[in-house]
Amino acid sequence: MAQERDRAAEVGYEDPINPTYEATNVMYHRCLNYVLEEIKHDGRTSVMVASHNEDTVRFTIQRMEELGLHPTDKKVYFGQLLGMCDQITFPLGQAGFPVYKYVPYGPVKEVLPYLSRRALENRGMMKGAQRERELLWKEFKRRLLGGDLFYRPVAC
């Protein structure tokens, strides 16, 4: 972000970085809303909502319901980095939404800056990791006490 701001000042164009995290979310939701509207009116459009932000996922699901878009339409996909936000990914998949986990790969000098940016963007990740651990423990206890330790997906 600092490099992008420096570059903007050097070249003389407007700072491309939103001033706050909240402003970034507002912009992302506005763009996402536009794409969801396009999906509603044009059957050829699809979108991957690649976000670790629970509010963004909730926003997307709410807008899908309002627009009459269904998970089975396979027009709205969700994705997160492997190992992050399983508390978001698993319930989405169980509810029938198409969900993907992705793994960045390549030379360390190219992958590490990408992962660092994701960590900066997801400042609340450690808070989310704590929440995820609590949810996983709760689910483990529920399955253990309920005699259903292993998840068995229902065939469609």
Side-chain angles (χ1 to χ4, degrees):
M1 291 187 297
Q3 289 175 335
E4 290 183 45
R5 285 192 165 120
D6 291 346
R7 176 77 175 141
E10 177 185 319
V11 176
Y13 60 84
E14 186 179 346
D15 182 351
I17 307 297
N18 284 308
T20 65
Y21 181 78
E22 292 74 22
T24 300
N25 286 341
V26 168
M27 178 183 280
Y28 190 87
H29 290 183
R30 189 174 63 237
C31 293
L32 185 55
N33 186 58
Y34 175 83
V35 173
L36 293 171
E37 292 276 349
E38 284 297 310
I39 291 170
K40 174 67 177 174
H41 301 295
D42 175 9
R44 298 174 296 162
T45 305
S46 296
V47 68
M48 167 69 75
V49 180
S51 177
H52 300 102
N53 185 323
E54 289 183 50
D55 292 334
T56 295
V57 172
R58 277 191 216 99
F59 171 83
T60 304
I61 292 169
Q62 179 182 345
R63 285 300 291 143
M64 287 177 68
E65 289 173 359
E66 292 168 0
L67 294 167
L69 301 171
H70 303 283
T72 54
D73 297 339
K74 305 264 192 238
K75 293 293 184 180
V76 180
Y77 301 82
F78 292 90
Q80 290 91 31
L81 270 166
L82 182 63
M84 287 183 65
C85 297
D86 290 340
Q87 81 276 11
I88 295 174
T89 310
F90 293 151
L92 283 171
Q94 289 176 334
F97 290 92
V99 182
Y100 294 86
K101 288 291 197 174
Y102 70 96
V103 179
Y105 64 93
V108 172
K109 66 180 181 180
E110 292 177 21
V111 175
L112 202 51
Y114 171 81
L115 292 173
S116 296
R117 285 193 306 274
R118 297 296 77 77
L120 281 172
E121 291 169 1
N122 296 288
R123 287 175 282 180
M125 186 173 68
M126 291 315 291
K127 181 179 166 191
Q130 174 65 31
R131 182 164 190 266
E132 184 170 353
R133 192 168 44 252
E134 291 168 3
L135 290 170
L136 287 170
W137 181 245
K138 181 179 174 182
E139 177 65 11
F140 176 73
K141 289 191 300 188
R142 183 193 69 78
R143 289 183 186 190
L144 187 62
L145 297 173
D148 190 24
L149 188 56
F150 299 103
Y151 174 70
R152 292 175 188 84
V154 177
C156 297

